[in-house]
């Protein structure tokens, strides 16, 4: 997965656009690349920017956001959508869900909720984009993604394992490819101690999301190297 997911904001209120941009700027792994205040401009920007994620309002000056959802589904199937809107009508929610939106957030927007939903989306991509083959447990996680908030997933983690740190370790180990990486190297990469990094790496090994090999050098004790297992993502 690319280092930063590119975001297009489609919202007719300039004040809300500014809030959304500031919220996105506080999150690792996301970058706003363009904004649009109506559906027509959004279509032009979709063609030239090809964003990973669209943050979309329902009420636009020239069309409903739900109409734009179906346009995106027809022309840009790789783009994901999160609705951020004041629209609370069940008809709107159902239409958005039928169009395959990842999430639906009702205004007024609160940063903590915004952060949780975007981190949930990024975690979903980490599970799906690297996977070559999945079992029923992974399929169940993917299909119920809307209930998999970071808080909910964190409650299922063992003591001493923090979700955000775990995702940083997963991202770092993915970047190393087949060459493998030591706990000390991961610790330097994410800013933790070697002992902390090793605890997270061993958790990934236990969950069959990584494997550990002993590498024997010419001198000293063998070094434990960790490799990501994409087929189990």
């Amino acid at each position: 997965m690319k280092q930063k997911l590119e975001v297009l904001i489609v919202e007719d209120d300039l004040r809300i656009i500014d809030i959304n941009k500031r919220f996105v700027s506080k999150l690792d792994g996301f970058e706003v690349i363009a904004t649009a205040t109506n559906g027509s401009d959004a279509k032009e920007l979709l063609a030239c920017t090809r964003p990973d994620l669209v943050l979309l309002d329902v009420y636009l000056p020239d069309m409903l956001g739900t109409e734009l959802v179906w346009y995106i589904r027809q022309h840009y199937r790789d783009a994901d959508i999160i609705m951020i809107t004041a629209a609370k009508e069940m008809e709107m929610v159902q239409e958005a869900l039928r169009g395959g939106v990842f999430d639906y957030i009702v205004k007024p927007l609160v940063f903590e909720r915004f952060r949780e939903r975007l981190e949930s989306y990024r975690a979903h991509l980490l599970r799906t984009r690297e996977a070559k083959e999945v079992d029923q447990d992974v399929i169940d996680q993917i299909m119920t993604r809307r209930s998999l908030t970071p808080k909910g997933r964190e409650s299922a983690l063992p003591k001493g394992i923090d979700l955000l740190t775990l995702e940083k370790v997963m991202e770092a180990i993915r970047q190393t490819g087949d060459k493998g990486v030591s706990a000390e190297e991961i610790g330097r990469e994410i800013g933790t101690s070697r002992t902390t990094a090793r605890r997270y790496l061993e958790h990934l090994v236990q969950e069959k999301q990584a494997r550990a090999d002993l590498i024997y050098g010419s001198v000293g004790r063998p070094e434990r190297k960790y490799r990501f297992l994409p087929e189990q993502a």
Side-chain angles (χ1 to χ4, degrees):
M1 192 165 69
K2 64 177 68 172
Q3 185 175 9
K4 287 197 174 184
L5 297 172
E6 297 179 338
V7 180
L8 168 64
I9 298 173
V10 184
E11 163 68 59
D12 67 329
D13 188 328
L14 295 177
R15 182 179 60 88
I16 301 299
I17 287 179
D18 183 60
I19 292 172
N20 287 345
K21 288 174 68 176
R22 285 191 286 110
F23 280 3
V24 171
S25 71
K26 295 180 180 181
L27 302 177
D28 291 334
F30 294 89
E31 179 183 15
V32 174
I33 57 169
T35 64
T37 56
N38 57 63
S40 178
D41 288 348
K43 289 180 179 181
E44 291 184 12
L45 287 169
L46 282 162
C48 63
T49 63
R50 299 297 181 104
D52 300 293
L53 177 64
V54 180
L55 302 182
L56 177 60
D57 190 15
V58 166
Y59 298 119
L60 301 173
D62 53 349
M63 67 175 65
L64 288 174
T66 47
E67 296 176 52
L68 192 58
V69 166
W70 290 106
Y71 176 85
I72 293 170
R73 283 289 154 262
Q74 182 178 1
H75 298 281
Y76 306 100
R77 300 178 73 174
D78 290 339
D80 290 311
I81 305 165
I82 293 179
M83 307 295 291
I84 300 178
T85 178
K88 299 180 182 179
E89 299 87 350
M90 179 55 69
E91 178 184 357
M92 290 295 185
V93 177
Q94 289 177 329
E95 185 69 3
L97 293 177
R98 292 188 189 105
V101 303
F102 181 84
D103 214 331
Y104 194 104
I105 305 173
V106 176
K107 299 174 183 175
L109 195 57
V110 178
F111 176 69
E112 183 61 24
R113 182 184 298 124
F114 183 90
R115 180 185 64 79
E116 286 187 359
R117 300 302 177 84
L118 264 70
E119 288 178 352
S120 177
Y121 165 68
R122 183 170 173 80
H124 170 75
L125 289 189
L126 291 175
R127 284 195 302 272
T128 57
R129 289 194 174 181
E130 300 289 342
K132 300 296 187 297
E133 184 176 329
V134 295
D135 58 22
Q136 188 62 55
D137 288 341
V138 175
I139 292 171
D140 290 344
Q141 288 181 353
I142 294 169
M143 297 304 293
T144 59
R145 64 188 183 274
R146 291 181 186 85
S147 64
L148 296 176
T149 63
K151 183 177 180 181
R153 295 197 307 279
E154 194 161 17
S155 65
L157 292 173
K159 185 177 179 180
I161 300 295
D162 169 75
L163 177 66
L164 296 181
T165 304
L166 180 62
E167 290 179 352
K168 288 181 181 179
V169 172
M170 290 175 66
E171 183 76 7
I173 195 174
R174 276 186 176 92
Q175 301 300 323
T176 66
D178 293 331
K179 68 179 182 179
V181 64
S182 69
E184 184 175 357
E185 290 168 328
I186 288 290
R188 286 200 302 267
E189 175 70 21
I190 68 171
T192 66
S193 69
R194 173 183 174 278
T195 301
T196 297
R198 180 162 184 168
R199 181 169 70 248
Y200 282 84
L201 289 164
E202 290 297 333
H203 172 74
L204 292 176
V205 171
Q206 185 177 357
E207 294 296 313
K208 296 182 171 58
Q209 293 180 293
R211 82 168 191 263
D213 300 313
L214 288 177
I215 306 300
Y216 291 87
S218 57
V219 294
R221 292 189 299 179
E223 186 177 32
R224 200 164 170 84
K225 289 278 191 176
Y226 298 86
R227 292 174 175 81
F228 181 59
L229 293 176
E231 66 272 13
Q232 297 294 329

